[in-house]
Amino acid sequence: MLRASHQSRPSRLLHDPYAPQLLPGPLVRWLVRTRWIPRVIDTIDPVIIDQLASRDRFADEWALSGKDHITQLVLLGSGLDTMSWRLDEAMPHARFFELDLSTMLEYKQRRLRWGGPLPTLSRCTTVPIDFEQDHLGDVLQAAGFDTQQATFVNWMGVSYFLPLEVVDGVFATLRDLTPPGSIVAFDYQRTGGPADTKKVRRFLTRVGEPFKTFFHEEEIPKLAERNGFSVAAQIPAHVCVARCQGTAAPWMSHISLAAFRRRDD
């Protein structure tokens, strides 16, 4: 819904013609296209639509920055992300792996059946995983992932729902799975940011999706270092929005964006 809503903006951070096709039915698509739903969302939270678009654009730009040597793209917690379609033509020799809970992967398939026709992804493999129960390395390699191939990992919208030890464990596993030059793009909730309040924490716990991990910006280089990566980029989401739209207020930044590059140890 949020990705499709962004496509109704007069000025967009990201061109994503595929997101509206994942909407559940023609009525919802019409309500989004005519901006009824986006206006309601903006009234409730004027940040969230452009923030999600900035996240997707950041990930796409970092994936494309390595298109000359990257041959695998992994979406951890893929949800309804359309990155595999967005980059399919630009990265014709890459293989895509979409990982998420089995219930989410099944839901995405239902949404694909409800929506309009989308191009067939012949190089995309969907892989069910529970990050708190399954071992990422075992799951990926069982799906055909090649540890010798340079890889881009999109880990957006997930880290803050996991305990710190799980976040660390995922990065340590990615260090072991990927060769030097591989890239990981992810987002994180900032300690002391708009979401790090008792009111927001209580609400998220009540709806069953509590945030479990927050970072200070100065902790990000340490996270990278101890897991075999270096920080290639780190910016608040509102800065990404401002670069593309010309303006954005700092209070828009619920999240920050970071890109790690696998070190040559």
Side-chain angles (χ1 to χ4, degrees):
M1 187 76 71
L2 297 176
R3 288 183 174 91
S5 293
H6 185 71
Q7 297 310 297
S8 71
R9 297 281 205 232
S11 177
R12 292 175 234 162
L13 298 169
L14 181 78
H15 178 60
D16 185 357
Y18 310 108
Q21 300 305 314
L22 285 172
L23 292 171
L27 176 58
V28 176
R29 286 197 289 275
W30 180 81
L31 288 171
V32 168
R33 187 173 63 252
T34 56
R35 303 211 67 239
W36 283 91
I37 288 178
R39 279 195 290 267
V40 171
I41 296 173
D42 285 340
T43 300
I44 298 169
D45 186 336
V47 175
I48 195 166
I49 291 177
D50 288 342
Q51 180 175 270
L52 180 60
S54 74
R55 197 173 76 183
D56 287 346
R57 175 162 175 157
F58 182 84
D60 284 9
E61 288 179 344
W62 275 98
L64 291 170
S65 74
K67 68 178 181 179
D68 292 336
H69 70 282
I70 284 174
T71 57
Q72 297 179 130
L73 285 87
V74 177
L75 283 70
L76 300 181
S78 56
L80 297 176
D81 198 334
T82 57
M83 182 184 222
S84 299
W85 283 281
R86 295 195 305 269
L87 300 189
D88 182 61
E89 185 175 342
M91 303 184 75
H93 305 297
R95 185 175 179 187
F96 297 81
F97 296 86
E98 295 194 0
L99 285 74
D100 213 322
L101 294 167
S102 58
T103 51
M104 175 53 74
L105 295 176
E106 291 164 5
Y107 177 63
K108 189 172 187 177
Q109 288 303 310
R110 289 199 301 273
R111 292 283 285 267
L112 287 169
R113 290 194 292 270
W114 294 339
L118 285 175
T120 300
L121 296 174
S122 60
R123 294 173 283 112
C124 183
T125 302
T126 56
V127 186
I129 189 172
D130 183 329
F131 289 106
E132 296 194 56
Q133 301 294 328
D134 301 325
H135 188 270
L136 175 60
D138 294 342
V139 170
L140 260 179
Q141 290 182 83
F145 180 84
D146 187 345
T147 59
Q148 302 303 309
Q149 298 294 316
T151 301
F152 172 82
V153 180
N154 179 348
W155 199 27
M156 294 290 183
V158 181
S159 68
Y160 25 92
F161 294 108
L162 302 174
L164 177 58
E165 60 270 21
V166 176
V167 174
D168 256 316
V170 169
F171 278 113
T173 299
L174 292 174
R175 172 196 62 211
D176 297 337
L177 286 174
T178 60
S182 296
I183 299 169
V184 181
F186 75 105
D187 63 337
Y188 63 92
Q189 291 286 344
R190 294 180 295 107
T191 302
D196 188 16
T197 64
K198 289 182 179 180
K199 182 178 180 180
V200 173
R201 284 174 178 255
R202 280 198 303 267
F203 171 76
L204 292 172
T205 299
R206 193 162 58 246
V207 299
E209 293 190 337
F211 287 167
K212 299 178 181 179
T213 298
F214 295 80
F215 289 103
H216 286 289
E217 290 184 358
E218 59 268 23
E219 292 179 293
I220 297 303
K222 298 174 185 177
L223 175 67
E225 177 69 25
R226 66 177 177 258
N227 288 302
F229 292 87
S230 59
V231 178
Q234 182 182 188
I235 61 172
H238 79 271
V239 174
C240 184
V241 174
R243 285 176 180 173
C244 306
Q245 300 282 59
T247 182
W251 60 264
M252 290 179 65
S253 196
H254 294 200
I255 59 171
S256 286
L257 311 167
F260 286 0
R261 183 174 280 111
R262 178 71 169 84
R263 292 201 314 262
D264 187 359
D265 294 327

